[in-house]
Amino acid sequence: MSLERTDEFDRGDWLQNKDLSRVERTYLVTLMWLDKRFRLVDYLELLEDAYYKTNLQMPKSHTEQYNLDNKFWYWYPLYSLGSLSIISYVLLAISGALLGFYYSPSATAAAGEEATIAYNQIVFIQTDLNFGFMLRSIHRWAAQFMVAAVFLHMIRVYFTGAYKEPRELNWILGVVLILLTLLFGYSGYVLPWNQLAFWAAQIGLEMALSVPLIGEWAAQLLFGGFSPGAPTLMRMYILHVFVLPFVVTSLIAIHVGIVWMQGIAEPH
């Protein structure tokens, strides 16, 4: 293989003559744009050549070994839980972004009122904002559905043996994702800053303090002190809106990318 440039090849004309779907065309255009600038394909071919020269290859799945139709498993109901989790996550991202226009993470009381600004904004969204109640209900139910779907997805992966070699890395990634999903749910639960949220923050704070050696440091970092207050609400808001979305989205992309490369694992 050579790294000599082949710019004389008219990729645009080649693409026009292909009967491709919109997704396929978008994928190829993106890949060609990146390849033209970073020569991705050339270097990937070098890596592939070096890999196979050592006589290594990805272990074959059961369907490959026994020439079975692996499309059967795509229609198996329990094999759709991962996709349902991603659909729930997209719904959460859209509804959460819309809710963010009206929510304020302030634990101080409004003038002349006992309730905090954060709680008043939740009441405003639910009672006065057009479609606010529906929007928050979609966000809440999508969150609960995602937790259930991810949990069942992990159970399916475990009992069908899909965590075994060569998919152990993706299994570890899935374990991290379910922990982050629970943290996502917990940080969102605290945001209304009502009685339930306050005591949930107190429980989380006690759990953090119970960790040996780093308990106090973890409590300071996540809750802003040793009792729930304004710093706790602000930290949960930053975690829920600015940190977790980017981390979880990146990990989901890697998780799905590995599944795409390795294929769906059949039951062992």
Side-chain angles (χ1 to χ4, degrees):
M1 196 203 72
S2 170
L3 290 177
E4 292 182 4
R5 298 182 64 84
T6 55
D7 287 348
E8 65 276 5
F9 181 74
D10 191 347
R11 301 177 179 182
D13 184 59
W14 174 85
L15 194 63
Q16 290 296 328
N17 295 326
K18 294 290 181 182
D19 183 18
L20 302 171
S21 68
R22 182 174 297 179
V23 174
E24 292 171 331
R25 188 175 296 278
T26 302
Y27 168 73
L28 286 175
V29 168
T30 305
L31 182 60
M32 286 192 296
W33 189 89
L34 292 171
D35 185 50
K36 191 173 183 179
R37 286 153 181 81
F38 305 109
R39 306 184 68 176
L40 293 180
V41 175
D42 285 341
Y43 290 110
L44 285 175
E45 286 180 355
L46 277 176
L47 288 174
E48 183 185 33
D49 186 57
Y51 179 77
Y52 283 105
K53 275 183 177 174
T54 58
N55 296 319
L56 296 174
Q57 66 175 25
M58 180 82 69
K60 291 182 178 179
S61 66
H62 284 189
T63 54
E64 291 170 333
Q65 289 179 33
Y66 302 111
N67 196 27
L68 302 175
D69 182 7
N70 60 4
K71 290 182 180 178
F72 168 78
W73 300 107
Y74 296 167
W75 298 101
Y76 198 67
L78 292 177
Y79 276 70
S80 62
L81 289 167
S83 302
L84 292 175
S85 305
I86 294 176
I87 292 172
S88 304
Y89 184 70
V90 172
L91 277 176
L92 282 167
I94 296 172
S95 57
L98 295 174
L99 287 171
F101 284 112
Y102 302 98
Y103 176 77
S104 175
S106 175
T108 57
E113 297 184 17
E114 294 184 358
T116 63
I117 294 175
Y119 180 73
N120 281 338
Q121 289 301 106
I122 295 295
V123 173
F124 166 76
I125 289 170
Q126 294 221 130
T127 57
D128 296 332
L129 180 66
N130 290 334
F131 302 106
F133 181 81
M134 183 184 74
L135 190 62
R136 187 166 182 246
S137 297
I138 290 173
H139 194 71
R140 185 178 61 184
W141 281 104
Q144 295 178 7
F145 186 84
M146 181 178 174
V147 171
V150 170
F151 183 70
L152 293 173
H153 176 58
M154 296 294 288
I155 290 177
R156 197 277 298 165
V157 168
Y158 179 78
F159 282 106
T160 56
Y163 60 89
K164 296 179 181 177
E165 186 184 5
R167 296 178 171 84
E168 64 271 34
L169 177 62
N170 224 15
W171 166 256
I172 295 171
L173 202 55
V175 172
V176 174
L177 276 172
I178 194 172
L179 294 176
L180 291 177
T181 300
L182 294 176
L183 184 57
F184 233 136
Y186 176 76
S187 58
Y189 190 82
V190 173
L191 293 187
W193 206 241
N194 51 15
Q195 280 293 313
L196 291 173
F198 180 85
W199 292 114
Q202 180 67 42
I203 292 170
L205 183 60
E206 296 291 340
M207 291 174 67
L209 286 172
S210 67
V211 178
L213 302 177
I214 61 168
E216 292 187 0
W217 175 81
Q220 288 278 7
L221 177 67
L222 293 175
F223 298 94
F226 301 122
S227 62
T232 305
L233 179 61
M234 184 55 69
R235 278 167 167 73
M236 290 297 117
Y237 178 73
I238 292 172
L239 200 63
H240 193 77
V241 175
F242 295 105
V243 178
L244 287 175
F246 295 103
V247 174
V248 172
T249 301
S250 301
L251 292 182
I252 287 176
I254 297 171
H255 189 70
V256 173
I258 294 175
V259 172
W260 179 67
M261 287 187 288
Q262 295 183 334
I264 302 293
E266 298 82 22
H268 285 261

